[in-house]
Amino acid sequence: GAFYSCERLKNIDLPEGLTSMGEKAFENCKSLREITLPSSLKEIGYCAFSGCSSLRSVTFKDTSN
């Protein structure tokens, strides 16, 4: 629940090197609209985005270039 119920968070670009996102990391972040996930991410925990009713865009970075 790192950002649990963070009401003002609208977008986030997670850093490269992050390999795991914990359970309920962004649960109930009702203002979260956009998130960019690093290519290094291998695991997303249970209910990581539960209750993120405004989430419209999830982007996966491609660093294969």
Side-chain angles (χ1 to χ4, degrees):
F3 294 94
Y4 177 81
S5 290
C6 187
E7 296 178 12
R8 295 187 179 178
L9 182 64
K10 292 183 180 179
N11 60 43
I12 190 164
D13 186 352
L14 297 175
E16 195 61 42
L18 181 71
T19 58
S20 178
M21 182 186 307
E23 291 184 6
K24 302 179 181 182
F26 294 93
E27 184 177 26
N28 291 325
C29 291
K30 296 184 188 307
S31 295
L32 182 63
R33 295 184 58 82
E34 301 175 2
I35 188 166
T36 302
L37 304 174
S39 62
S40 58
L41 189 65
K42 304 294 181 208
E43 180 180 354
I44 297 175
Y46 176 76
C47 290
F49 300 102
S50 177
C52 294
S53 54
S54 296
L55 187 60
R56 299 292 183 254
S57 173
V58 177
T59 304
F60 294 90
K61 284 185 185 174
D62 179 13
T63 59
S64 62
N65 299 341

